């Protein structure tokens, strides 16, 4: 008897910030379904009333499932696992699309769907993030941490509403491509969601992010001990992206730092390509955006955490940097 390997379903995550145009893009992609195939769509609404599902075709050959309430990226995985397993078993689709809420963290969803449990069922395609080109001039909009986290997770960025972009938007778009060139492989400008399936039917690169406790805490772990699973701040991570090394730290927002000590530390770093961070300091919240040509820092809105990321092409003494970073704290007594 000949063994038939189980079919893995090409699976696309279509994500993006609120109102970016995800559903419009998805609607256009669905029109490209070959007549003999069945395509499935799993949609996630943050609220309890689903609207997007009503906008997606209900014709034969399509199967739509909606998850309401919360974010399938970062809330309990169980409802998503059940809904996805049921969708796959009941419809046996030839292609699957997942549209998380605009408030979601698609990198976490991608991490879940590349776990061994799903590898015989799903063939993950490049993560798509939709960005509203007409809002790129809005600094308050693009400075949000969630917006930036979504962009960092993208392998493909689809720029929506390019026909509505101003000169300021075009300038911001050029800067955006430069800023995320270490992450994003493909940029697609799409009017009214007009993207061809072959443009996004690209195999997802394996995730190479490793989140661990702070390096100083790791030193105290016995060599034989397994590092604890990271579920809350603080943590440190290192990831590889297109030949670059990215090291980052996220620290609790109540940790406060001496602004001038922090500035001196960042200015003293060497062999890096970009340093970005936002910190709660004794001078108020401050953001840092360093490239080799410019050291920019300014006052910032209160963030959800302290965070810093360093991009380079070679490994650094990250433990030394972390030790010096933590020595800039001024609230040690208060924890």
């Amino acid at each position: 008897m000949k063994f038939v390997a189980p079919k893995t379903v090409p699976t696309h995550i279509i994500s993006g910030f609120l109102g970016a145009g995800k559903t419009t893009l998805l609607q256009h992609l669905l029109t490209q379904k070959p007549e003999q195939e069945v395509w499935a769509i799993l949609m996630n609404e943050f609220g309890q009333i689903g609207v997007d599902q009503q906008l997606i075709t209900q014709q034969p050959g399509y199967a739509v499932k909606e998850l309401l309430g919360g974010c399938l990226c970062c809330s309990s995985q169980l409802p998503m696992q059940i809904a996805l397993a049921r969708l796959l078993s009941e419809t046996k689709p030839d292609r699957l699309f997942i549209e998380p809420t605009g408030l979601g963290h698609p990198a976490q969803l991608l991490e879940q769907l590349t776990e061994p449990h799903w590898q015989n069922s799903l063939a993950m395609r490049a993560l798509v993030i939709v960005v509203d080109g007409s809002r790129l001039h809005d600094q308050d909009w693009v400075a949000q941490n969630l917006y930036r986290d979504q962009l960092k997770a993208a392998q493909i960025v689809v720029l929506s509403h390019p026909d509505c972009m101003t000169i300021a938007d075009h300038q911001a778009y050029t800067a955006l491509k430069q800023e995320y060139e270490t992450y994003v492989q493909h940029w697609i400008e799409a009017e009214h969601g007009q993207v061809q399936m072959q443009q996004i039917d690209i195999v997802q690169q394996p995730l190479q992010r490793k989140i661990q406790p702070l390096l100083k805490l790791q030193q105290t772990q016995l060599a034989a001990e397994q590092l604890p699973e990271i579920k809350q701040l603080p943590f440190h991570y290192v990831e590889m992206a297109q030949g670059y090394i990215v090291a980052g730290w996220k620290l609790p927002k109540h940790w406060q730092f001496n602004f001038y000590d922090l500035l001196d530390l960042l200015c003293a770093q060497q062999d890096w390509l970009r340093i970005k961070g936002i910190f709660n300091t004794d001078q108020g919240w401050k953001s840092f955006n360093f490239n080799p040509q410019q050291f920019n820092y300014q006052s910032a809105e209160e963030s959800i955490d302290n965070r810093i990321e360093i991009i380079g092409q070679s490994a650094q003494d990250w433990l030394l940097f972390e030790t010096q970073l933590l020595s800039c704290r001024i609230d040690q007594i208060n924890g």
Side-chain angles (χ1 to χ4, degrees):
M1 182 175 177
K2 187 177 179 181
F3 172 74
V4 179
K7 180 179 72 171
T8 56
V9 181
T11 301
H12 306 265
I13 298 175
I14 309 294
S15 190
F17 209 52
L18 296 167
K22 301 185 295 298
T23 303
T24 301
L25 170 62
L26 182 56
Q27 286 175 314
H28 179 71
L29 292 171
L30 293 177
T31 66
Q32 302 173 52
K33 182 185 76 67
E35 185 177 352
Q36 72 279 9
E37 292 190 0
V38 173
W39 285 8
I41 305 99
L42 179 63
M43 309 187 78
N44 177 214
E45 290 271 17
F46 198 80
Q48 296 293 339
I49 300 176
V51 175
D52 285 349
Q53 183 176 356
Q54 309 308 315
L55 305 177
I56 298 298
T57 179
Q58 302 292 322
Q59 298 176 13
Y62 301 91
V64 184
K65 173 70 176 175
E66 196 166 43
L67 277 174
L68 300 178
C71 166
L72 59 81
C73 307
C74 44
S75 59
S76 170
Q77 295 183 28
L78 187 58
M80 186 274 291
Q81 302 269 0
I82 294 173
L84 181 53
R86 183 173 297 167
L87 187 60
L88 293 173
S89 65
E90 292 178 354
T91 65
K92 296 179 174 53
D94 297 285
R95 192 173 294 273
L96 170 66
F97 296 87
I98 301 177
E99 183 187 329
T101 169
L103 298 175
H105 296 265
Q108 294 181 22
L109 176 59
L110 182 60
E111 213 169 300
Q112 295 171 24
L113 297 181
T114 50
E115 290 178 353
H117 172 72
W118 292 110
Q119 288 178 2
N120 290 330
S121 303
L122 307 177
M124 296 306 301
R125 295 303 193 250
L127 177 60
V128 176
I129 301 295
V130 184
V131 171
D132 184 350
S134 68
R135 300 202 67 169
L136 291 178
H137 68 277
D138 186 341
Q139 289 301 309
D140 290 338
W141 180 263
V142 301
Q144 298 180 71
N145 286 329
L146 177 56
Y147 176 89
R148 294 183 170 276
D149 284 348
Q150 290 182 349
L151 274 171
K152 280 178 51 184
Q155 198 168 324
I156 299 173
V157 167
V158 172
L159 185 78
S160 66
H161 309 122
D163 53 320
C164 300
M165 292 172 65
T166 63
I167 293 176
D169 289 321
H170 282 286
Q171 292 172 339
Y173 180 49
T174 299
L176 192 73
K177 290 198 288 187
Q178 292 175 343
E179 181 173 354
Y180 290 93
E181 64 181 350
T182 58
Y183 298 98
V184 180
Q185 289 185 315
H186 305 279
W187 299 81
I188 302 171
E189 299 177 22
E191 289 189 25
H192 310 297
Q194 302 289 310
V195 173
Q196 298 305 306
M197 179 59 65
Q198 61 264 31
Q199 291 178 278
I200 68 166
D201 199 8
I202 300 169
V203 174
Q204 171 67 37
Q205 288 186 338
L207 291 175
Q208 294 181 285
R209 169 176 278 203
K210 190 174 186 180
I211 296 178
Q212 294 185 325
L214 295 183
L215 294 167
K216 287 188 70 174
L217 296 178
Q218 291 180 43
Q219 281 192 315
T220 65
Q221 299 283 329
L222 297 176
E225 286 186 13
Q226 185 175 359
L227 291 174
E229 180 183 356
I230 299 302
K231 295 185 176 179
Q232 60 184 14
L233 305 178
F235 63 76
H236 157 68
Y237 62 86
V238 175
E239 62 188 9
M240 301 295 295
Q242 301 188 52
Y244 296 90
I245 296 177
V246 184
W249 288 260
K250 289 190 180 183
L251 312 168
K253 68 182 293 184
H254 70 269
W255 287 14
Q256 193 172 60
F257 294 77
N258 181 287
F259 170 71
Y260 291 107
D261 289 347
L262 193 58
L263 182 61
D264 287 345
L265 172 63
L266 300 185
C267 290
Q269 299 310 299
Q270 298 180 348
D271 300 324
W272 51 269
L273 299 174
R274 192 169 194 89
I275 298 177
K276 297 197 70 174
I278 183 166
F279 285 91
N280 175 11
T281 79
D282 55 345
Q283 305 291 317
W285 282 89
K286 299 288 184 180
S287 65
F288 301 85
N289 189 353
F290 287 12
N291 61 53
Q293 287 74 44
Q294 289 184 316
F295 287 10
N296 294 321
Y297 58 88
Q298 60 185 4
S299 296
E301 295 294 322
E302 180 179 307
S303 175
I304 58 175
D305 52 40
N306 291 285
R307 54 173 64 187
I308 185 167
E309 195 167 73
I310 301 175
I311 300 175
Q313 291 182 302
S314 59
Q316 307 283 335
D317 187 344
W318 301 125
L319 175 59
L320 174 61
F321 175 80
E322 180 184 288
T323 302
Q324 294 171 331
L325 175 65
L326 296 181
S327 72
C328 296
R329 277 186 67 188
I330 57 177
D331 65 326
Q332 306 281 357
I333 297 178
N334 297 324

